[in-house]
């Protein structure tokens, strides 16, 4: 690869493994050199993958070179089975005519990065001439026109019925169908974790309470023993991309700026199947476009555009569920047209052979599956994921009414064993402030309404100053949307901005979340697969109105003469490094935490007898078990147990180095994954708490972490106070861009972390958790959560 400051862009220099892999790639690709062509930043996919364009140059005789422009994709670790290039090749072989018109060609196979990721290489769409994604189309008329053309290409083009003109079908059960659709791009454990985070306390219940109604638990429909899951069905099958969204469809643009949808290109065939339900792609595309209205990304200036008010979002949900009925009057005309186009195209496609009723049934099942999958989309933000959960549950109820009306839901009282309350008042879209709006436009407090969908900007917006490409998912609180100013036929319409050249990206409103800096989740979700999903909440420093150590309340004011915490932290580090500890041994790392969740806080943060306990066992193979139980005045609920097979526990923090220089490198690499506004002291405190939540640490590791914090700018001395277990410790804090304060409380004798405390900008307790046991063990049992200060060895 051609090196040098002029040849290697800054964003690639920050990803050294990819830069090195790209440097070594030409040796196995015919020799020559590879050069990254100028671009401000790489293109982002709907996962953490990203794409960029390179020039491959190979010798071709005296004075000549053989040059080719290629699109390089950096794939995330893992995958859905076969490598994407093999699925891409299979898709081309299955339908060569469609491939010639609408697919690019892959080259060279996969090239390993060395850290679990890999590179793939493909031709640039449209011969290198300009293209836009569907997500970048601003004009409603253009969007409808492009959608109609793509839909026709998928059905009557790609999935053209066989010689006799009748579709192909297959038999299944509703449960098998839903399970297959859901696990195409997600996993049941990830969805179960997402639903628990959104409020579902027991994923094993068949019925849930949403919007004041008892509805089928949509996740249970995909699991064994769920309601009406064993019903025999037939479905129309064919070719399916598997994860079709607006970012995977490229539309050519003429030199005059006119879209040419007839020559669309489909990319990223990692989830391709040749015998999938034909509804999979139309439903996925329709939902992805709808979500850009419901939980849209920020604009190019990183501010939050306006999105759908509550009545319109609910109208969109209802019309997606019942596309054959007249569109609600409050629904935007463009959205109504997209839904109706999908329904009509399906009816026309299945008319030969008389399969219309099967299409209607599988459409609704695919809608339930896609909505469930979308609850795991980090980039939607909690309010968008909540809307998806409501969509899935209401669609499940519509399915029950149409096909299983004899199965009636239990009474509301009977369903209270597994309530799924609305996390916040459903008017969240219209009554909550956003950071970029002046106070006069705010309308009071709000409510909420989760696979990863990223099209350059995550859908949960961050306050101004945070890079939307890296903005983290909020922990637990949601901010709604102010009303839009623009009206179309009496319907509030999101604002659209145009970019140069006449084809801009539709920038619709996205909620700015109060917990901006929080990677912390205060309502623990069993079965979660990321550090944000498993981290419990925290404690509060003493109030400025109290003189004695407190166990909850507003933050302590900064002393009038600031005290440098570095000296104190170094002293604790010296004391910790001198400890003689017998290392604990065992296959499993075990941690136990005590959690006060937002639901408990609503009853008063002084109620110390209401909390959750979480026990986590995990191995170096990323397998293990989590047990979560609620405790109320000493009474323990039935434990909720989640098990992880090998590799299922992802996003585990690295084992912190004992060498300070090496540890700084680890922390800096982790901070680079955070938004720019969180690459600071507050972000560092969160990372330290994350490490403690997973890792039993040795005394040298704890000492080095303390020395790292001692040298971190922006950390404030908070003095000594007691946590909710009456353990005194030394506290430090830092404040993030949203004004939230992160506080860590350390045992002064052992250097162990006792608690992590998060308070809001207006001095309210947001989250509180205690770190109790931390050790290694060879068995998984149900030991009591022992105060970690009594544990003499934690390996």
């Amino acid at each position: 690869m051609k090196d040098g400051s002029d040849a290697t862009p800054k964003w690639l220099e920050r990803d050294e493994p990819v830069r090195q892999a790209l440097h070594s790639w030409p040796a196995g690709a015919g020799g020559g050199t590879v050069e990254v062509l100028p671009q401000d930043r790489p293109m982002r996919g709907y996962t953490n993958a990203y794409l960029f364009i390179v020039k491959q140059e190979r010798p071709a005789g005296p004075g000549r070179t053989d040059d080719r422009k290629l699109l390089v994709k950096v794939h995330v670790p893992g995958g859905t089975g076969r490598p994407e290039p093999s699925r891409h090749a299979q898709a081309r072989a299955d339908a060569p005519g469609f491939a010639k018109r609408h697919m690019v060609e892959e080259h060279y196979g996969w090239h390993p990065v060395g850290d679990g990721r890999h590179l793939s290489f493909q031709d640039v769409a449209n011969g290198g001439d300009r293209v836009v994604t569907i997500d970048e189309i601003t004009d409603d008329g253009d969007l409808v026109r492009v959608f109609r053309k793509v839909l026709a290409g998928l059905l009557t083009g790609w999935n053209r019925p066989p010689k006799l003109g009748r579709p192909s079908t297959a038999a299944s059960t509703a449960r098998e169908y839903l399970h297959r659709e859901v696990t195409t791009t997600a996993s049941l454990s990830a969805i179960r974790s997402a639903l628990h985070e959104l409020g579902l306390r027991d994923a094993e219940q068949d019925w849930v309470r949403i919007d004041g109604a008892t509805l089928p638990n949509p996740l249970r429909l995909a699991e064994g023993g769920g309601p009406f899951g064993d019903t025999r069905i037939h479905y129309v099958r064919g070719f399916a991309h598997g994860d079709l969204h607006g970012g995977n469809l490229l539309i050519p643009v003429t030199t005059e700026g006119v879209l040419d949808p007839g020559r669309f290109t489909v990319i990223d065939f990692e989830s391709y199947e040749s015998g999938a339900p034909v509804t999979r792609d139309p439903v996925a595309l329709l939902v992805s476009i709808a979500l850009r209205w419901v939980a849209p990304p920020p604009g190019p200036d990183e501010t939050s555009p306006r999105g759908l008010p509550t009545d319109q979002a609910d109208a969109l949900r209802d019309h997606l569920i019942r596309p054959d009925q007249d569109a609600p009057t409050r629904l935007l005309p463009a959205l109504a047209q997209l839904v109706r186009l999908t329904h009509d195209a399906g009816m026309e496609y299945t008319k030969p052979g008389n399969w219309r009723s099967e299409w209607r049934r599988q459409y609704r099942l695919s809608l339930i599956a896609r909505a469930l999958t979308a609850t795991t989309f980090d980039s939607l933000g909690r309010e968008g994921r909540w809307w998806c959960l409501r969509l899935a549950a209401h669609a499940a109820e519509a399915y029950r009414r149409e096909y299983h009306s004899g199965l009636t839901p239990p009474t509301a009282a009977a369903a209270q064993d597994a309530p799924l309350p609305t996390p916040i008042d459903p008017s969240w879209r219209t009554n909550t402030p956003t950071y970029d709006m002046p106070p006069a436009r705010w309308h009071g407090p709000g409510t909420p309404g989760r696979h990863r969908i990223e099209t350059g900007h995550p859908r949960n917006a961050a306050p101004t100053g945070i890079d939307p490409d890296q903005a983290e998912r909020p922990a637990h609180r949601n901010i709604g949307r102010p009303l839009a100013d623009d009206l179309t036929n009496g319907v509030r319409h999101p604002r659209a901005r145009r970019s140069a050249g006449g084809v801009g990206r539709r920038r619709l409103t996205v909620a700015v979340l109060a917990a901006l800096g929080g990677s912390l989740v205060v309502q623990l979700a069993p079965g979660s697969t990321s550090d944000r999903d498993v981290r419990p909440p925290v404690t509060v420093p003493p109030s400025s109105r109290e003189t004695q150590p407190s166990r909850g309340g507003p933050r302590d004011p900064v002393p009038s003469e600031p005290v440098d915490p570095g000296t104190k932290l170094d002293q604790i580090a010296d004391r910790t490094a001198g400890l003689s500890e017998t290392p604990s041994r065992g296959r499993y790392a075990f941690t136990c935490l005590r959690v006060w969740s937002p639901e408990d806080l609503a009853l008063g943060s002084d109620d110390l007898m209401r909390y959750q306990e979480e026990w986590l066992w995990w191995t170096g193979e990323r397998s293990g078990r989590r047990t979560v139980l609620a405790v109320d005045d000493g009474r323990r609920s039935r434990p909720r147990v989640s098990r992880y097979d090998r590799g299922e526990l992802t996003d585990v923090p690295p084992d912190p180095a004992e060498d300070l220089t090496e540890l700084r490198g680890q922390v800096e690499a982790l901070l680079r994954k955070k938004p720019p506004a969180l690459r600071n002291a507050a972000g560092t405190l969160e990372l330290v708490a994350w490490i403690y939540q997973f890792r039993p640490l040795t005394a040298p590791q704890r000492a080095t972490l303390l020395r790292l914090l001692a040298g971190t700018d922006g950390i404030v001395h908070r003095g000594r106070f007691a946590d909710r277990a009456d353990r005194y410790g030394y506290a430090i804090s830092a404040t993030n861009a949203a004004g939230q304060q992160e506080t860590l409380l350390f045992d002064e004798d052992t250097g162990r972390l006792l608690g992590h405390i998060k308070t809001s900008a207006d001095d309210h307790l947001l989250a509180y958790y205690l770190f109790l046991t931390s050790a290694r063990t060879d068995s998984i049992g149900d030991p009591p959560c022992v105060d970690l200060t009594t544990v003499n060895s934690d390996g």
Side-chain angles (χ1 to χ4, degrees), residues 56 270 345:
Q56 180 190 19
E270 190 168 357

Side-chain angles (χ1 to χ4, degrees), residues 468-483:
D469 280 332
Q470 304 178 51
E472 293 186 321
R473 172 170 54 85
H476 51 274
R477 295 179 62 176
N478 298 280
I479 295 298
R481 316 176 194 287
L483 297 175

Side-chain angles (χ1 to χ4, degrees), residues 102-306:
H102 302 295
M103 293 175 61
V104 295
E105 188 172 350
E106 294 269 6
H107 301 281
Y108 304 114
W110 279 9
H111 184 73
V113 173
D115 57 3
R117 294 180 295 170
H118 53 270
L119 309 178
S120 66
F121 303 83
Q122 58 186 278
D123 285 333
V124 177
N126 198 29
D129 281 341
R130 186 185 174 199
V131 296
V132 296
T133 67
I134 284 187
D135 287 340
E136 294 174 311
I137 298 175
T138 300
D139 183 80
D140 286 355
D142 283 344
L143 178 62
V144 171
R145 181 168 61 92
V146 168
F147 186 84
R148 179 187 288 111
K149 201 72 174 179
V150 169
L151 204 57
L154 295 176
L155 295 180
T156 60
W158 195 19
N159 280 286
R160 184 188 304 276
K163 294 180 179 180
L164 297 179
R166 291 187 284 271
S168 175
T169 63
S172 184
T173 65
R175 179 186 62 80
E176 291 168 348
Y177 183 100
L178 274 170
H179 185 275
R180 177 181 182 178
E181 291 302 272
V182 166
T183 55
T184 298
T185 51
S187 69
L188 292 181
S189 62
I191 295 172
R192 190 177 296 110
S193 172
L195 299 192
H196 179 74
E197 182 190 336
L198 291 171
L200 183 57
R201 301 294 174 252
D202 191 343
E204 303 304 317
Q205 293 287 337
D206 290 344
W207 303 89
V208 295
R209 294 284 295 171
I210 296 181
D211 298 335
T214 302
L215 307 175
N217 178 355
L219 181 60
R220 289 287 293 138
L221 305 186
E223 298 178 322
F228 49 81
D230 293 328
T231 308
R232 201 76 179 153
I233 67 170
H234 281 78
Y235 64 92
V236 180
R237 65 178 179 177
F239 305 134
H241 176 279
D243 191 23
L244 196 64
H245 52 70
N248 278 337
L249 281 159
L250 309 179
I251 313 300
V253 183
T254 68
T255 54
E256 292 79 22
V258 179
L259 297 174
D260 185 3
R263 295 191 297 116
F264 70 86
T265 298
V266 189
I267 62 173
D268 289 352
F269 282 79
E270 190 168 357
S271 301
Y272 168 77
E273 288 186 42
S274 59
V278 179
T279 48
R280 181 182 293 175
D281 285 350
V283 169
L285 180 58
L286 179 61
V287 170
S288 81
I289 295 175
L291 286 173
R292 292 184 65 80
W293 267 270
V294 175
D301 56 357
E302 300 184 2
T303 60
S304 300
R306 294 161 175 75

